[in-house]
Amino acid sequence: MDLEHTPAMKAPSGVVSNLVDPYSQRPIGITLASISLGVAILFVAIRLHMRVALKMLNYEDGILLFAAVYIPNTSLRKEAFI
């Protein structure tokens, strides 16, 4: 028995069960996360550019840069939008 394509129970009357290509909001989530990530990276780049130009780099900027690189690698994984 293939549990991935077998329903747990019979569909209610008037509802068609679609286990082959089910409805998903995954593309919307990926699109919104990608746009948000782009805007965040833009603001991080502007901040770091100004801090370098003003020679005011601090340890906080290093933490910010680390977070800007690390967080997208964990939040845009395939498993996050199942």
Side-chain angles (χ1 to χ4, degrees):
M1 177 188 284
D2 185 12
L3 295 177
E4 197 170 301
H5 298 291
T6 305
M9 59 188 290
K10 190 176 179 180
S13 61
V15 177
V16 178
S17 180
N18 182 4
L19 297 176
V20 176
D21 187 24
Y23 172 75
S24 173
Q25 292 185 349
R26 183 177 188 183
I28 296 169
I30 291 174
T31 302
L32 290 176
S34 299
I35 291 170
S36 300
L37 175 63
V39 171
I41 295 284
L42 176 69
F43 283 114
V44 168
I46 291 170
R47 176 191 164 109
L48 290 177
H49 173 72
M50 292 308 299
R51 298 286 258 179
V52 168
L54 297 174
K55 298 179 183 172
M56 295 177 58
L57 278 176
N58 205 350
Y59 71 92
E60 298 164 352
D61 299 314
I63 294 170
L64 176 69
L65 185 60
F66 173 76
V69 171
Y70 179 73
I71 290 174
N73 290 332
T74 59
S75 64
L76 285 179
R77 290 185 316 202
K78 183 175 128 179
E79 296 85 20
F81 294 101
I82 291 179

